[in-house]
Amino acid sequence: MVQKKQSDRQQRLDNFLQAVEAAQKVQDDIMKYGLEAAYLYCDDVDGDWLETWGEDGDGQQNFVELVTNFLQSDDLVAVRLRKQLKDKSLQIIAVDLEKCLSLSEEDDQIFPVKNVLAGSVAVAESNRGTSSDEIDETDLLDLAEELLEKLVDF
């Protein structure tokens, strides 16, 4: 009888510890991936999305994680992009890029990407000089084009 109570108590403790671990994982994912993780959790609380977060069907990393890793790299395009969007987190930039690339056709992707890049600065027309807070629209389009070339692999 005493052994059964200890076994039941141990089982409840194990269940509690698993629940705490799951809650900590959700909290970590929300901190790491932002509100997208919270929305996924709310939409599919009973599903297995948490176990497969960051993986597609083949077990590969998802687009946002790949782009975030690229943006952290020393690649010249990544460095220019970080400088351009210094006020935004890399995670938010990656999510914004994923949204604009998924919503537009392949031929028209440069303009949504340019809009993501222009999100934090005023854009000057090509025939005017630029101040420190403005970037030439041609430079912005060039950066967007170079970024799209890099993102093709993802």
Side-chain angles (χ1 to χ4, degrees):
M1 185 80 156
V2 172
Q3 191 174 18
K4 184 176 184 215
K5 285 183 180 182
Q6 287 177 340
S7 176
D8 289 343
R9 185 178 299 165
Q10 184 63 39
Q11 182 64 34
R12 286 189 308 233
L13 180 61
D14 289 343
N15 290 344
F16 175 74
L17 291 175
Q18 287 176 348
V20 169
E21 278 183 32
Q24 287 174 336
K25 175 93 169 96
V26 169
Q27 181 181 6
D28 290 345
D29 284 342
I30 291 171
M31 295 298 291
K32 183 176 180 181
Y33 297 109
L35 290 177
E36 289 294 316
Y39 294 141
L40 283 173
Y41 179 75
C42 290
D43 289 343
D44 189 17
V45 72
D46 294 325
D48 69 341
W49 69 269
L50 185 59
E51 291 81 23
T52 60
W53 181 264
E55 299 179 356
D56 62 13
D58 300 344
Q60 297 176 346
Q61 293 176 314
N62 70 12
F63 180 83
V64 172
E65 192 171 333
L66 290 169
V67 172
T68 302
N69 290 339
F70 166 73
L71 295 175
Q72 293 171 343
S73 73
D74 291 333
D75 186 277
L76 292 177
V77 173
V79 171
R80 286 177 56 203
L81 193 126
R82 285 194 310 264
K83 183 179 176 186
Q84 175 70 30
L85 298 172
K86 59 185 171 225
D87 296 334
K88 279 188 165 182
S89 76
L90 298 181
Q91 183 69 30
I92 291 173
I93 296 168
V95 169
D96 288 347
L97 288 172
E98 180 185 39
K99 286 177 185 174
C100 72
L101 293 178
S102 66
L103 295 176
S104 60
E105 293 184 26
E106 192 171 325
D107 296 337
D108 298 327
Q109 289 177 341
I110 193 162
F111 295 108
V113 170
K114 181 190 81 79
N115 291 339
V116 168
L117 298 177
S120 66
V121 295
V123 178
E125 291 184 21
S126 299
N127 59 359
R128 290 193 220 160
T130 59
S131 72
S132 61
D133 290 341
E134 296 178 331
I135 186 168
D136 189 289
E137 189 159 349
T138 305
D139 293 340
L140 205 56
L141 281 170
D142 289 342
L143 180 57
E145 188 173 89
E146 291 173 27
L147 179 61
L148 276 173
E149 289 174 10
K150 299 287 183 175
L151 296 179
V152 166
D153 297 333
F154 304 145

